[in-house]
Each structure stands twice: as C-alpha cells, then as structure tokens.
C-alpha cells in the first residue's frame, strides 16, 4: 500500500547537484526528501569521475612498476620481471573507494535531517510523484521540487549497448576482467581516459573518431600533447572515420567503419566501447507532465535555476 508523504522540498537525484541541494535545504530547516534510484553520489561518484580516476591512478602505478622492469632509471630501481595485474582485485579496490564516498554522502544527508528514499520518481504533475523501489511505494506531494536527474550515455542506433559486446562507459567501469582488445568509438575525454588506462594495463586499443582530431571539444593546443603521447605509446587512432555496424564473431565482435573518403574497413576486437557523449536524462519519469519549458534537449531555467513552472527548479546536466 502506497504511503503519502508531504514535504517542503523534494530533490530528485542524489548526484553532485542533488545531494548538496538537499543538504542545504535541510540545514535551513526545510522538511526535505531526496529520491534516487541508483545510489547516492550520481554518475560522477558511482559510474564516472571517481571510478575512472581510480583506474587512471592504478594505471599510473602499474606503469611505474612496468617501467622499472624494462628500463634503466637514475635511482637504480629495477624489477627482474614484468608486473602482473589482478584486474578483479583492482575492481574491488575501485568499488571500495566508491563505497567509502557514498557512505560519506549518506552521513551528510542524515546530519542535515534529509530523508532519503531509494526508488524511481515518476511525476503525474508538477507537484505530485510516485516512487517505487527498495523502500516501498510512496506518493510524494512537495511544495517545491528540485530536478537533478542528471544525464545518460548517448547510444548509437546501429550499435546499441548490450553490456557484453558493446559497452558504455558505465559498463567499462564494471568490468571484472581485462579485455585483450577494444575499439573505442569516440575520442573525447571519456573515451581517451578509459582507453589510455586500459592500454596501460595491456589492452590493445583502437580509437574511431569522426572528427579530424582527438578531444574535438577542446582547443587544439590542449589536445595536441595528448595526441602526441598516444602516438608515442603506440595507440591506434583513426580520425575522420565513422563506425558503421558490428557483427558478433566467436571471439568478440567485428566492427566496420568508413573513412571520410568512403573507404570501408573492419577490425575484430573483444569489446566495442561507445563513448560519444552524454545527454540530459529526460525520459521515463514524467517530465512531459510537469509543464516546464524546454531549451532544446535541456530544461529551460533562469539564472536562479527556476523553470517556467512555479516552485520547480532544475540543476546540473538536466
């Protein structure tokens, strides 16, 4: 049976936009509820910045040890054999880092008297939503709503995510074993971070980028040193190239791609990683029922994060 809850402020989304907003509202004495379906911390803490930086840190440590095994150095440090990588143990360490931080977020919310409900919020109008999840069923009627629903990975229509052969960045960070080879569609910052870390661990990495250089969203002066480092390391980067489709084979997948000149080729790899960007998460939670104006794919707000509907605010990637 559904419980009805009333509150001053409802925050939807427990990411780095939502949970500080909820904490501040609670500190100001407002009765505050925070609803999140995927765990406190949002994409940044759970499936993005923090776990990817943990992998990058581990890759740097691995590279330092590997260099000592193969190169002379001025400190006289040497290792007689190449290092081994227990990728499953690495994944466990990464998860422990994430769990420690999410636990800290939970304590901060508790200290601010914010009630956290685990589940997916669906709005029937701007000031009414229902939540179904691990904590039960609730109907929530807030005075004010802060939408902090975040973003999701962009999927290629012809190369959809399946979590096994075609991976999003989230899937990559959930891997329990190291793939021998990957093709990464997209050489933006997400793809480059993951790809260079995997390469350092020993994965054969090939980038497929439609633009004429890597990191196309950044100034050329900033992306040039990264391109030079990738080239020196021996990472394959195919520019002006578009991924077309995949075919599953016995040992992974075959990815076909087309150059700017119209030449078609293919590569066989264990996994394909699609990292072409992110988009506001506007689907499947009732945004269309709330009467807010849109700005393209985003919710339109003013300089105070107010939407066109009184008492409804939108923050972050949304």
């Amino acid at each position: 049976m559904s419980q009805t809850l009333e509150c001053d402020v409802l925050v939807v989304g427990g990411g780095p936009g939502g949970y500080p907003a909820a904490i501040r509202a609670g500190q100001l004495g407002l009765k505050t509820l925070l609803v999140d379906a995927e765990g406190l911390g949002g994409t940044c803490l759970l499936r993005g910045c923090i776990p990817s930086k943990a992998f990058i840190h581990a890759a740097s440590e691995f590279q330092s040890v590997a260099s000592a095994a193969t190169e002379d150095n001025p400190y006289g440090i040497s290792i007689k054999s190449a290092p081994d990588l227990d990728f499953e143990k690495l994944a466990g360490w990464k998860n422990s880092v994430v769990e420690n931080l999410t636990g800290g977020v939970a304590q901060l919310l508790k200290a601010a008297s914010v009630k956290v409900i685990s589940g997916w919020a669906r709005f029937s109008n701007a000031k009414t939503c229902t939540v179904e999840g691990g904590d039960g069923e609730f109907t929530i009627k807030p005075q004010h709503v802060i939408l902090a629903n975040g973003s999701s990975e962009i999927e290629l229509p012809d190369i959809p995510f399946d979590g096994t052969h075609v991976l999003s960045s989230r899937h990559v960070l959930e891997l329990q074993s190291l793939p021998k080879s990957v093709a990464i569609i997209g050489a933006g910052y997400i793809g480059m971070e993951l790809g260079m870390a995997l390469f350092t661990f020993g994965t054969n990495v090939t980038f497929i980028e439609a633009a004429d250089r890597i990191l196309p969203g950044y100034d050329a002066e900033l992306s040039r040193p990264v391109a030079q480092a990738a080239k020196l390391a021996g990472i394959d980067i195919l520019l002006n190239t578009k991924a077309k489709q995949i075919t599953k084979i016995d040992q992974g997948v075959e990815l076909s791609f087309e150059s700017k000149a119209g030449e078609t080729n293919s590569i066989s790899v264990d996994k394909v990683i699609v990292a072409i960007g992110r988009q506001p998460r506007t689907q499947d939670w009732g945004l269309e029922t709330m009467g807010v104006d849109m700005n393209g794919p985003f919710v339109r707000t003013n300089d105070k994060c107010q939407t066109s509907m009184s008492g409804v605010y939108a923050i972050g990637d949304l």
Side-chain angles (χ1 to χ4, degrees):
M1 183 176 178
S2 178
Q3 302 178 52
T4 299
L5 302 175
E6 296 183 354
C7 62
D8 297 316
V9 179
L10 168 64
V11 180
V12 181
Y19 78 75
I23 289 170
R24 187 59 181 148
Q27 290 172 339
L28 292 172
L30 298 170
K31 184 178 180 180
T32 305
L33 298 180
L34 185 150
V35 176
D36 190 284
E38 299 181 331
L40 296 174
T43 294
C44 179
L45 199 159
L46 298 172
R47 300 169 295 277
C49 312
I50 299 302
S52 66
K53 299 307 181 291
F55 269 154
I56 291 168
H57 174 75
S60 177
E61 294 292 310
F62 184 83
Q63 188 174 40
S64 295
V65 176
S67 296
T70 59
E71 299 176 2
D72 293 330
N73 60 71
Y75 312 111
I77 301 171
S78 64
I79 298 173
K80 300 306 179 185
S81 61
D84 292 324
L85 174 66
D86 186 335
F87 197 81
E88 186 174 356
K89 186 175 181 180
L90 169 60
W93 170 74
K94 178 264 298 180
N95 291 339
S96 71
V97 172
V98 170
E99 288 167 5
N100 286 337
L101 292 174
T102 57
V105 171
Q107 289 300 315
L108 291 171
L109 289 163
K110 183 179 180 180
S113 300
V114 176
K115 179 178 176 61
V116 177
I117 298 176
S118 176
W120 189 262
R122 297 183 185 278
F123 285 83
S124 55
N125 59 54
K127 298 295 177 65
T128 305
C129 78
T130 57
V131 178
E132 295 182 7
D135 294 335
E137 297 183 12
F138 301 89
T139 299
I140 303 176
K141 296 181 177 294
Q143 293 295 312
H144 303 275
V145 177
I146 299 176
L147 299 173
N149 302 65
S151 61
S152 59
E153 301 93 342
I154 297 176
E155 188 174 46
L156 287 171
D158 295 330
I159 310 178
F161 300 129
D162 63 12
T164 301
H165 298 97
V166 181
L167 311 181
S168 67
S169 57
R170 175 190 303 204
H171 296 134
V172 175
L173 294 169
E174 293 172 350
L175 287 172
Q176 294 298 306
S177 61
L178 185 68
K180 293 181 179 179
S181 59
V182 299
I184 301 180
I185 303 172
Y189 74 92
I190 295 175
M192 291 300 299
E193 280 191 342
L194 294 175
M196 295 185 81
L198 289 172
F199 179 83
T200 301
F201 289 137
T203 299
N204 191 332
V205 176
T206 301
F207 284 97
I208 310 293
E209 172 55 54
D212 60 0
R213 62 183 176 89
I214 67 167
L215 300 170
Y218 296 84
D219 291 344
E221 289 78 5
L222 296 177
S223 64
R224 191 174 296 116
V226 183
Q228 291 172 341
K231 182 178 180 181
L232 287 173
I235 298 175
D236 292 328
I237 301 177
L238 305 179
L239 302 175
N240 293 307
T241 303
K242 292 185 178 180
K244 304 299 290 183
Q245 63 182 20
I246 63 165
T247 303
K248 295 179 183 178
I249 56 179
D250 290 340
Q251 300 296 323
V253 292
E254 184 175 283
L255 172 68
S256 64
F257 49 88
E258 183 179 326
S259 69
K260 188 176 182 179
E263 298 175 350
T264 301
N265 211 326
S266 65
I267 184 174
S268 297
V269 292
D270 289 344
K271 311 281 186 184
V272 171
I273 300 170
V274 179
I276 58 173
R278 302 183 65 85
Q279 59 191 351
R281 182 177 288 168
T282 57
Q283 303 297 316
D284 301 326
W285 53 267
L287 175 63
E288 64 279 1
T289 70
M290 301 188 73
V292 299
D293 292 342
M294 301 296 291
N295 179 20
F298 302 95
V299 175
R300 184 185 298 277
T301 62
N302 63 15
D303 58 1
K304 295 181 179 179
C305 298
Q306 296 169 315
T307 71
S308 58
M309 176 59 68
S310 176
V312 177
Y313 301 78
I315 62 177
D317 291 346
L318 193 64

